[in-house]
Amino acid sequence: MAATPDSPATDDAQHIELERFLPYRISVLSLALSQSIARLYSDRFGISIPEWRAIAVLGSYQPLTANEICERTSMDKVQVSRAVGRLVTAGMLLRQTDRNDRRRANLRLSARGLRVYRDIVPLAKECEARLLSALAPAEQAELDRLLHKLQARARDLCGEA
């Protein structure tokens, strides 16, 4: 029986079961986790997911340029540019033009941004702990190992394109 536009293809090569397709499952999980953590800080601090990601990466690696934030967070330039602009306006980030290259701007957390970072980190870690509590310690270690392996392979695949 041939597939019609209204029915799924029966040929396995032309059919995908999204609920079992790893990229889809990881994307859905990532979105659910981001949204659950976002509930912890969006109302309290008035920041979005991209803004929190910029704050988080700067809290660990500052100073960074907007391009370096893109690289470390896998966000696109538009998302980072908007997040940085809002955070600078809100007084959470400081932008300083590089003396050696006037096209570059180094970004740092301001005192206010650092306070927000320090307030959110324990909340985010508690959310992570609650999620991981579904796994035994050995399973958590195995998950970490497997994620590292998949991340490395995904980087390799991106290089092949």
Side-chain angles (χ1 to χ4, degrees):
M1 174 178 210
T4 66
D6 295 335
S7 67
T10 55
D11 180 1
D12 281 346
Q14 295 181 354
H15 177 72
I16 192 163
E17 191 177 338
L18 281 179
E19 296 76 16
R20 299 192 52 77
F21 184 58
L22 183 64
Y24 175 80
R25 293 172 72 188
I26 289 174
S27 178
V28 169
L29 176 61
S30 175
L31 181 61
L33 293 173
S34 290
Q35 289 174 340
S36 72
I37 294 171
R39 281 193 297 273
L40 299 173
Y41 57 73
S42 63
D43 290 340
R44 185 169 171 188
F45 300 102
I47 59 175
S48 66
I49 292 171
E51 291 163 3
W52 162 242
R53 288 180 183 164
I55 289 171
V57 75
L58 284 165
S60 296
Y61 302 106
Q62 67 182 351
L64 294 173
T65 65
N67 283 339
E68 290 168 330
I69 292 173
C70 290
E71 291 168 11
R72 289 190 175 270
T73 62
S74 295
M75 290 191 294
D76 65 47
K77 289 181 181 185
V78 172
Q79 283 180 302
V80 170
S81 177
R82 288 180 180 154
V84 165
R86 287 190 298 261
L87 292 168
V88 167
T89 300
M92 292 186 214
L93 288 190
L94 303 172
R95 184 185 341 227
Q96 183 177 28
T97 303
D98 189 303
R99 290 181 212 166
N100 299 322
D101 184 349
R102 310 248 348 127
R103 296 168 297 175
R104 283 176 51 111
N106 292 310
L107 301 164
R108 301 182 141 281
L109 294 175
S110 66
R112 180 173 182 224
L114 190 55
R115 279 192 306 276
V116 168
Y117 173 75
R118 288 180 176 156
D119 286 346
I120 294 175
V121 166
L123 301 174
K125 285 185 170 186
E126 174 58 30
C127 187
E128 176 192 44
R130 285 195 318 267
L131 175 71
L132 289 174
S133 71
L135 303 175
E139 290 173 317
Q140 291 178 29
E142 181 68 0
L143 175 63
D144 186 59
R145 187 185 72 74
L146 293 171
L147 287 173
H148 279 291
K149 202 170 183 178
L150 288 173
Q151 288 170 315
R153 183 62 181 140
R155 280 190 300 275
D156 291 346
L157 292 173
C158 287
E160 292 174 5

